[in-house]
Amino acid sequence: NITTVGVLLLRDPVDRFLSDFRYRQKMARSNPYHLTKIPQLRNAIDSLSTDAFEGRDQGYKNGLNIIQRCFEKDCSFVSLYEDLFCQRKMNRLCEITGLHSHEGNFVQAINSTSPEAEATKAEINELRSFFQPAYDAAEAYFGREYLKTNWRNF
């Protein structure tokens, strides 16, 4: 008897955008053919309105609807990326996926904001405004207080 498990992790949309931006910078630096094309944050922000950057809600609303509609509560796992790395959440994820759980060391934050992609407060506010539909979808599911605790750009 095979059971399908739905897993959905949502990340702060602004942090997700900045992480993608840092990745693109890193890739441009490591490829000698693209050294003159290292992306600039201002250009990346300006291109949001013309790019198909997964839409303004980044698929959060649709993903949450699919999980709720297609999976029983005991066969689904929905979490914020920023809140995933703790023993309680890992135990739950392993439990519903049938994996063995081991004690983890969750003291080091991986993929957090780095100096390479520091954005000004104005740029953060601009990004936050652009991704408002993603924040709205996450707030409707998790609630305002939970997001305020886990997403610094909320």
Side-chain angles (χ1 to χ4, degrees), residues 62-125:
N62 189 42
L64 289 165
N65 286 336
I66 288 170
I67 289 285
Q68 289 174 312
R69 197 173 64 245
C70 298
F71 296 94
E72 298 293 327
K73 191 89 168 150
D74 61 341
C75 290
S76 67
F77 180 86
V78 178
S79 180
L80 301 180
Y81 171 84
E82 294 81 356
D83 189 37
L84 174 65
F85 302 101
C86 68
Q87 199 62 55
R88 180 179 58 81
K89 291 278 183 145
M90 284 297 180
N91 288 346
R92 172 71 179 127
L93 182 57
C94 288
E95 175 188 325
I96 68 165
T97 56
L99 299 171
H100 295 288
S101 180
H102 300 282
E103 291 298 315
N105 181 3
F106 301 105
V107 292
Q108 183 180 7
I110 304 296
N111 211 9
S112 58
T113 300
S114 71
E116 280 182 57
E118 283 190 28
T120 66
K121 191 166 186 75
E123 289 168 331
I124 295 287
N125 288 337

Side-chain angles (χ1 to χ4, degrees), residues 9-24 53-55 57-60 81-82 111 113 127 131 135 151-153:
L9 297 175
L10 302 179
R11 186 169 183 195
D12 182 320
V14 171
D15 282 347
R16 185 170 184 264
F17 176 84
L18 293 174
S19 175
D20 179 70
F21 173 74
R22 285 192 310 274
Y23 173 77
R24 291 173 192 266
F53 189 76
E54 298 181 33
D57 84 341
Q58 297 193 347
Y60 288 16
Y81 171 84
E82 294 81 356
N111 211 9
T113 300
L127 288 167
F131 291 120
Y135 286 107
W151 282 356
R152 64 187 163 157
N153 298 305

Side-chain angles (χ1 to χ4, degrees), residues 13-42:
V14 171
D15 282 347
R16 185 170 184 264
F17 176 84
L18 293 174
S19 175
D20 179 70
F21 173 74
R22 285 192 310 274
Y23 173 77
R24 291 173 192 266
Q25 281 189 319
K26 181 179 175 183
M27 290 299 101
R29 283 191 197 100
S30 66
N31 186 336
Y33 299 106
H34 295 104
L35 283 177
T36 59
K37 297 182 181 179
I38 295 176
Q40 300 301 311
L41 183 57
R42 181 72 257 159

